[in-house]
Amino acid sequence: MERPQLPEKINNTIFRYGSRWNTGVQLGKYFSLWIHRTSIYVAVLTVFSLLLLPACVHGRGGNDPHPGVADIREEFLAAVNRARSVNQVCGTTHFGPSPPVSWSAHLALAAYLHSTDMVLKNIFSHTGSDGSSAGQRISLQGYPWRAYGENIAVGNQTVSSVVRGWLGSEGHCRNLMNPAFTEIGAGYAVGPFGANPAARFWTLDLADRQESR
């Protein structure tokens, strides 16, 4: 679960987390043209629907449409599972290897929207500008969680550096290694922070899904 705490600074990086119808031949020509154009429209819509469908099935996997998610999805999932695959020391707590997690488009969207909110509202907090908690934001995306956690950070430019930074912070490390979490989603947004006009604001949401009854 998210834990209120002061931000930690590591290597200058902060973590928290128309026409008329005519008759005869002309009518036939217009009708043929209409059929042709309609066929093209149907074909285009079919292809478009097929491209979107994978992103909607159960909210898992799929093609994440947002640039602050799509360009990091595979790398982020691999980095987190790589960290979970070995022993880690989170502060004073020793963790053995934890089971790998899978990607959730619902969690990724919740994370991305929170990063965007932090940029637009010039905040750096687990509490959204509307007063929402991470759990409320995750629920809003249709994810039925029974446990969740959230990491945020700002200033890192790469996936590897932000995950490495979280592993060096006890609370964030505990979230990464928590064996109770089975799915993750992450996203970032770019905005000014300190002297950096294009800093990345990162959010990682981790959760376990309630069993359907």
Side-chain angles (χ1 to χ4, degrees):
M1 303 293 285
E2 58 187 280
R3 300 169 182 267
Q5 56 184 315
L6 294 175
E8 301 180 27
K9 193 171 184 180
I10 302 175
N11 297 328
N12 296 318
T13 299
I14 294 181
F15 303 94
R16 275 299 216 218
Y17 351 353
S19 60
R20 294 168 52 191
W21 284 102
N22 296 308
T23 57
V25 175
Q26 204 166 7
L27 176 61
K29 289 169 62 178
Y30 279 122
F31 184 74
S32 298
L33 180 60
W34 179 80
I35 291 295
H36 177 68
R37 288 180 176 174
T38 301
S39 299
I40 293 176
Y41 294 154
V42 170
V44 169
L45 287 173
T46 300
V47 172
F48 186 69
S49 298
L50 289 174
L51 288 173
L52 287 180
L53 183 60
C56 301
V57 179
H58 301 302
R60 307 185 189 194
N63 301 314
D64 297 292
H66 303 285
V69 176
D71 61 339
I72 62 166
R73 173 188 165 186
E74 293 184 7
E75 185 182 1
F76 215 111
L77 181 61
V80 170
N81 280 330
R82 192 158 50 244
R84 289 168 66 91
S85 69
V86 298
N87 297 326
Q88 299 286 355
V89 179
C90 302
T92 58
T93 304
H94 291 253
F95 282 85
S98 294
V101 290
S102 56
W103 189 265
S104 164
H106 288 319
L107 294 177
L109 183 55
Y112 171 77
L113 292 177
H114 184 55
S115 289
T116 301
D117 182 46
M118 289 194 290
V119 168
L120 294 178
K121 303 300 183 179
N122 192 29
I123 58 175
F124 183 64
S125 172
H126 288 290
T127 303
S129 63
D130 60 353
S132 62
S133 67
Q136 290 171 325
R137 293 189 295 270
I138 292 171
S139 294
L140 187 62
Q141 298 309 318
Y143 187 99
W145 57 268
R146 63 178 176 183
Y148 73 86
E150 181 177 80
N151 288 354
I152 59 176
V154 60
N156 304 79
Q157 289 302 109
T158 65
V159 170
S160 60
S161 68
V162 74
V163 172
R164 187 166 58 248
W166 283 333
L167 286 172
S169 166
E170 182 174 358
H172 302 89
C173 180
R174 287 173 178 268
N175 274 346
L176 287 174
M177 296 303 296
N178 193 330
F181 296 143
T182 57
E183 295 182 284
I184 66 167
Y188 71 88
V190 177
F193 184 78
N196 187 348
R200 290 190 176 191
F201 287 68
W202 300 85
T203 302
L204 167 67
D205 285 331
L206 314 92
D208 183 42
R209 185 182 296 263
Q210 281 186 349
E211 297 293 337
S212 57
R213 297 179 178 180

